[in-house]
Amino acid sequence: MDSNQSEYSNSFFTDTMHGLPIPNKEKLKELSLILPHVFPETMIPLRLPEFVNKLTNKKYPYYFIFAILSAGINYIVPKTAKCHIQLETKYATKSIELMKKETDISDPLIVWASMFIMVYTYRILSIELGDQVRDIAEMTVKKTRLYQLDINKNLGREQNRYTEDELEFRRRVWWTYYLQISGNYVFNGNFIKFEQRDIVVDLPRNDFKYRYGGSFQGCDDKELRLLNNIANDPSDENNPKDNHYIFVNTYCLYKNIATFVTKRWRKNSFDEDGANLRLVLYINQLHRLKDKMDKTLGDGFPAIKDKYVEFKGSVKLLLETENHIINHYSRHVYYSMFIYLYQSELVRDLNIKVRPERVKSAKQQCIGASIKQMELLEWYSQNIPTGYQGFPHIAFSLNSLLSLINFFFIKDPSIKEKHTDYFNRTVSVYKSFDKNSDYVSSFLTVVNYIIGIKTKASEDNRKYMHLEDYMKPFGISEHDLEPWVIPKYGSFFHSFCCGKGNFSTLDIGEYLGEILPTENISENE
């Protein structure tokens, strides 16, 4: 052990496996109760009594324990310790090494372990480790055909290979994996090898009974025992509503919207009528999804900060707050894809007649959603203590932050000041997350890069002052006189290597195109 590790070897770290220190039982149990707050989507397969028992008593395969620690050790180490920074990488690397040595890769724990390591690699931006663990998970999913787990049932065949509990666990592992690869597709455009038409897996259901029910063997927590008895009682119908399926529905829709937007402005993808029909389809689906969220999760966000003090270290804390965490996360993803879709309305294609009223309406929709996301971020930072904060929210708020950039270049002082304040408030929350993820500095670098591109374009557009009146119909005010900085293909990262080629035109003359009368074209030349 290095000096930092040995400092805590007698109290914090009480065991060693494969040369790596393992926290004591109390800390492992503490981590079990923190992870659902921090990574709600990764913890969908969690059965809490079984998880606490197997983790604290080290009954899980070592690769799985190391994977959990790679994602979560920084949430339980003493605040004065720095050892977790080196340990995270060692845990992740050792977990991958052990998974590669497994002779039977059909265990769904391999997929779940891979998702914990993916969480770690996102936080530290390790492409190499991410690629390795993604390949391992994909290999297991393909071998076990996890993506068609319920095909026999749907075809009316007998399905006796697994118990119902085992089936539900595998379903939840699959959907956790699906959320990861879908999110990766949305942001990076990475090819998904499992098309939604090929997926035959039931949605996760009976969340409360699944989370707290099942075997209680080896777990001596009185609070969990009470919940276990309630969950295992088939006559109790007053359990909390299911909500994990909302995650799945949200990501499925986002993936479909991303596929449409990515292709919308490419040659030979959609004609104008086909694109318009698809746009209306997804707008309607967004409205239906929001109605479902409102009905299932509620549409308000009460103050819950005091609950983290009152119920700290207990299962009660999870019961009191989890619905709000899932509601927050789901709506964050919702508004992200909302902007993703409406931004595609702002891309300029000179082969299609531009309609000012649609451009103006889409801008208003993007800004409304951006403000909603800012409010969600502020609620999260004000109500969730640092020790329980995750970081995926950063990625899903990037679309709103980039929408707000456009207000830096609007000449109306009142509108500019109000919306740049929204931008600054969002960045302020970003920076408060900095301790949990290297994402923050990287994302802000991207934001500054895009601001630089927009600034240069704005300077170049000064030569078009005589054309400003033609831009007024496209603006949300008479001072919104320049094309907005918008990705052509949905995400700024799809073709980030291509620089300006990933953006819709920022040049006023090019944007106006066929709208300009002949004398203005001549003057411009």
Side-chain angles (χ1 to χ4, degrees):
M1 292 185 184
D2 62 31
S3 59
N4 278 327
Q5 292 175 32
S6 61
E7 181 181 350
Y8 299 98
S9 60
N10 294 326
S11 57
F12 187 87
F13 297 113
T14 56
D15 199 358
T16 301
M17 294 190 297
H18 290 276
L20 294 176
I22 306 299
N24 61 45
K25 278 190 172 186
E26 290 72 21
K27 284 296 179 181
L28 290 174
K29 181 182 177 184
E30 179 185 340
L31 180 59
S32 301
L33 297 177
I34 290 174
L35 289 175
H37 295 266
V38 180
F39 309 123
E41 76 291 2
T42 307
M43 298 304 288
I44 289 175
L46 172 70
R47 299 206 85 175
L48 198 50
E50 178 184 344
F51 190 86
V52 170
N53 170 35
K54 289 187 175 181
L55 184 61
T56 57
N57 293 306
K58 306 174 188 67
K59 294 180 180 179
Y60 278 127
Y62 292 155
Y63 68 77
F64 188 69
I65 295 174
F66 290 142
I68 293 170
L69 291 174
S70 73
I73 187 68
N74 62 312
Y75 288 95
I76 57 171
V77 293
K79 299 304 179 185
T80 55
K82 301 295 183 184
C83 57
H84 72 276
I85 297 174
Q86 295 81 26
L87 277 176
E88 290 170 341
T89 301
K90 291 180 179 179
Y91 287 139
T93 303
K94 179 59 70 172
S95 177
I96 291 172
E97 176 189 324
L98 294 175
M99 282 192 282
K100 288 180 176 179
K101 291 180 179 179
E102 286 289 310
T103 55
D104 180 9
I105 64 167
S106 62
D107 191 335
L109 281 177
I110 290 178
V111 180
W112 197 13
S114 299
M115 297 305 97
F116 281 109
I117 299 176
M118 287 300 299
V119 166
Y120 163 70
T121 63
Y122 290 151
R123 190 173 73 239
I124 65 156
L125 302 176
S126 174
I127 296 174
E128 181 181 355
L129 285 177
D131 288 344
Q132 288 184 51
V133 79
R134 193 178 295 111
D135 289 343
I136 291 171
E138 183 182 306
M139 186 165 52
T140 297
V141 168
K142 284 182 175 179
K143 179 177 180 179
T144 59
R145 298 186 70 84
L146 201 60
Y147 60 98
Q148 294 190 327
L149 186 65
D150 289 303
I151 193 167
N152 286 337
K153 183 181 72 172
N154 288 6
L155 293 175
R157 300 170 183 166
E158 290 294 323
Q159 192 163 339
N160 298 321
R161 186 177 179 185
Y162 305 116
T163 66
E164 186 53 43
D165 281 351
E166 289 171 338
L167 274 173
E168 184 64 19
F169 173 68
R170 283 167 168 76
R171 289 180 188 121
R172 289 169 178 264
V173 168
W174 157 256
W175 287 120
T176 297
Y177 172 75
Y178 178 83
L179 301 188
Q180 289 279 6
I181 61 174
S182 295
N184 204 29
Y185 171 77
V186 167
F187 286 105
N188 300 322
N190 290 5
F191 180 67
I192 293 185
K193 298 181 181 178
F194 305 97
E195 292 295 332
Q196 284 182 211
R197 63 176 176 269
D198 298 324
I199 297 170
V200 190
V201 183
D202 291 351
L203 294 174
R205 292 293 186 185
N206 298 316
D207 293 341
F208 180 83
K209 289 182 178 294
Y210 176 82
R211 169 67 59 85
Y212 299 104
S215 171
F216 199 76
Q217 183 180 1
C219 184
D220 58 1
D221 187 285
K222 293 180 180 179
E223 194 179 15
L224 277 176
R225 181 175 291 279
L226 174 61
L227 289 170
N228 185 254
N229 289 336
I230 295 172
N232 287 333
D233 183 357
S235 64
D236 195 331
E237 298 179 355
N238 296 316
N239 295 328
K241 292 180 179 179
D242 290 350
N243 49 36
H244 285 149
Y245 77 95
I246 295 287
F247 270 150
V248 176
N249 287 343
T250 303
Y251 272 83
C252 285
L253 180 54
Y254 204 159
K255 192 266 180 183
N256 286 342
I257 287 174
T259 300
F260 163 62
V261 172
T262 300
K263 297 177 179 179
R264 182 177 182 181
W265 299 110
R266 297 186 188 276
K267 292 181 180 179
N268 304 319
S269 289
F270 294 98
D271 59 27
E272 188 174 1
D273 289 340
N276 288 335
L277 287 171
R278 193 67 63 94
L279 177 71
V280 171
L281 169 70
Y282 289 132
I283 289 173
N284 289 335
Q285 290 184 359
L286 281 168
H287 289 321
R288 287 197 293 271
L289 177 60
K290 186 176 182 301
D291 289 342
K292 176 61 71 174
M293 287 181 179
D294 291 345
K295 182 178 180 181
T296 304
L297 301 171
D299 60 356
F301 287 88
I304 60 173
K305 187 174 183 178
D306 290 346
K307 294 186 184 297
Y308 284 89
V309 177
E310 183 179 358
F311 303 117
K312 183 178 181 180
S314 69
V315 183
K316 177 74 170 174
L317 176 62
L318 187 57
L319 290 170
E320 291 286 330
T321 61
E322 186 175 32
N323 186 74
H324 301 301
I325 294 167
I326 291 176
N327 193 12
H328 171 270
Y329 191 93
S330 298
R331 289 181 190 275
H332 218 70
V333 178
Y334 173 85
Y335 286 118
S336 177
M337 68 173 157
F338 189 97
I339 298 169
Y340 203 103
L341 179 62
Y342 275 100
Q343 275 183 339
S344 72
E345 281 281 273
L346 306 182
V347 175
R348 184 69 172 101
D349 185 332
L350 295 180
N351 295 315
I352 295 178
K353 183 176 178 61
V354 63
R355 293 175 172 80
E357 68 280 1
R358 284 180 59 167
V359 172
K360 183 176 180 178
S361 174
K363 287 180 176 180
Q364 292 169 334
Q365 295 287 356
C366 287
I367 292 306
S370 297
I371 295 170
K372 290 288 187 182
Q373 276 204 312
M374 180 211 67
E375 292 170 346
L376 284 170
L377 277 170
E378 289 189 330
W379 176 88
Y380 188 81
S381 67
Q382 293 165 6
N383 283 274
I384 312 300
T386 302
Y388 291 87
Q389 285 181 0
F391 57 87
H393 315 83
I394 298 170
F396 285 113
S397 63
L398 185 63
N399 284 349
S400 62
L401 194 62
L402 296 175
S403 292
L404 293 169
I405 284 174
N406 294 287
F407 285 87
F408 287 15
F409 306 91
I410 290 180
K411 297 176 182 179
D412 184 332
S414 60
I415 294 179
K416 179 177 180 178
E417 183 178 342
K418 180 172 70 172
H419 290 86
T420 52
D421 179 60
Y422 293 148
F423 176 92
N424 291 331
R425 285 162 63 182
T426 303
V427 170
S428 177
V429 177
Y430 263 44
K431 291 180 176 178
S432 74
F433 292 156
D434 196 28
K435 61 185 74 66
N436 288 341
S437 174
D438 292 342
Y439 251 47
V440 175
S441 58
S442 298
F443 269 36
L444 291 180
T445 298
V446 172
V447 171
N448 288 330
Y449 166 77
I450 294 172
I451 290 175
I453 290 177
K454 175 64 174 165
T455 300
K456 177 64 167 58
S458 185
E459 292 170 353
D460 293 342
N461 280 331
R462 290 175 183 172
K463 64 189 177 197
Y464 295 120
M465 291 182 66
H466 61 289
L467 301 179
E468 287 182 349
D469 283 346
Y470 293 98
M471 290 297 296
K472 287 182 180 179
F474 301 95
I476 58 174
S477 87
E478 63 178 8
H479 301 286
D480 177 19
L481 302 174
E482 297 186 36
W484 280 22
V485 59
I486 294 295
K488 276 186 183 179
Y489 310 114
S491 170
F492 285 99
F493 296 103
H494 277 202
S495 305
F496 200 66
C497 60
C498 303
K500 294 181 182 179
N502 190 32
F503 300 95
S504 179
T505 182
L506 295 171
D507 182 273
I508 288 177
E510 184 178 349
Y511 186 89
L512 290 173
E514 85 284 348
I515 298 173
L516 292 178
T518 305
E519 62 268 20
N520 277 312
I521 296 176
S522 301
E523 183 179 345
N524 194 28
E525 294 176 343

